[in-house]
Amino acid sequence: LHTFLTALTPLLTSDTILIITADHGEGFMEHNLMNHLSLYSEVLRVPLIMSVPKISPKKITLPVEGIDIYPTIVGMLGITPPANIEGTNVTDAIAGIPFARGKNPIISEYYELDENRTEKTIIDGKWKLYVKNIKNMNDPKNLELYDALSDPLDMHNVASSQPKAVREELRKLNEFIKTHAWNGNRSYRSPEDIGSELEQKRWYFHY
């Protein structure tokens, strides 16, 4: 990365915003998987490196999502994003101004095409709830709970010892699913709703 940036820097102007990130991580047997077909930490956690004019380097611990990048860019440029954008503008956090993300949890989703099964996670402060199959959300075998603060690598499933936390995170996840259901006017569509369409376009998927 240092070599890349050293070569790139002379080509940038003084008002250039540079962002380096990735769409997903990769599993290397941390959870017996050698791919990125899960929602464990090694897949969800990716670098997000920004070089912003007049902003001194710093490490920010605020959790962000990929959907936060666009509203943050337009915020830096002084542009008002469209009202239906769901990401959060984290410009203040980058600038070192006290910033609270708000009450919106971080939601991730993975659709297993062969099994017609959707996995979801909700990260909400201390807890990360991993639902392996949203069609059977009340089946304990499909639920894993991790302490996102003390166990950021998802190594210790505490669902059986924290039933209250599981119920609360399930409630929040169900609330998100209901408020983001496809109604013809939103950008979100559940993978199950378009399963046949995904199957027809299967050749677009590359692993």
Side-chain angles (χ1 to χ4, degrees):
L1 184 58
H2 178 267
T3 301
F4 169 73
L5 292 176
T6 299
L8 182 64
T9 298
L11 305 177
L12 305 179
T13 63
S14 60
D15 60 352
T16 299
I17 297 173
L18 175 64
I19 300 174
I20 300 174
T21 189
D23 57 345
H24 58 75
E26 201 73 22
F28 291 98
M29 297 305 291
E30 295 90 344
H31 292 89
N32 298 318
L33 298 170
M34 279 290 287
N35 53 43
H36 53 262
L37 308 182
S38 78
L39 297 176
Y40 287 113
S41 177
E42 59 268 21
V43 175
L44 293 188
R45 293 170 66 92
V46 298
L48 178 55
I49 303 170
M50 294 187 176
S51 174
V52 182
K54 301 180 181 179
I55 298 296
S56 58
K58 63 177 67 67
K59 181 178 181 179
I60 298 173
T61 59
L62 176 77
V64 298
E65 300 178 83
I67 60 173
D68 296 335
I69 296 176
Y70 169 69
T72 298
I73 292 174
V74 298
M76 291 177 180
L77 299 176
I79 302 172
T80 302
N84 62 346
I85 292 298
E86 297 185 27
T88 301
N89 178 358
V90 297
T91 302
D92 284 350
I94 295 171
I97 300 172
F99 176 84
R101 181 181 178 84
K103 297 182 179 180
N104 294 328
I106 294 177
I107 306 292
S108 299
E109 179 179 273
Y110 162 62
Y111 178 54
E112 172 52 61
L113 183 60
D114 290 332
E115 300 179 14
N116 189 29
R117 171 177 55 82
T118 298
E119 301 181 358
K120 287 183 183 288
T121 61
I122 176 172
I123 302 175
D124 183 36
K126 176 180 176 63
W127 298 115
K128 172 184 177 178
L129 180 69
Y130 190 164
V131 181
K132 293 295 188 72
N133 187 346
I134 65 168
K135 292 180 179 179
N136 296 293
M137 296 178 69
N138 294 319
D139 186 342
K141 295 192 298 292
N142 288 322
L143 303 176
E144 297 179 8
L145 184 72
Y146 299 96
D147 188 321
L149 301 180
S150 65
D151 182 25
L153 300 182
D154 301 342
M155 291 289 110
H156 307 288
N157 177 14
V158 297
S160 61
S161 62
Q162 297 288 342
K164 183 177 180 181
V166 169
R167 289 193 298 270
E168 178 61 12
E169 297 309 313
L170 272 177
R171 182 191 67 78
K172 294 176 182 177
L173 182 57
N174 273 310
E175 183 178 301
F176 174 88
I177 292 173
K178 290 177 181 178
T179 57
H180 290 72
W182 170 251
N183 60 16
N185 297 315
R186 300 181 63 88
S187 60
Y188 177 86
R189 295 179 66 186
S190 169
E192 286 87 350
D193 295 339
I194 55 171
S196 60
E197 182 179 330
L198 286 172
E199 185 64 37
Q200 294 171 8
K201 298 181 179 180
R202 188 187 184 97
W203 59 275
Y204 283 120
F205 291 79
H206 302 281
Y207 299 112

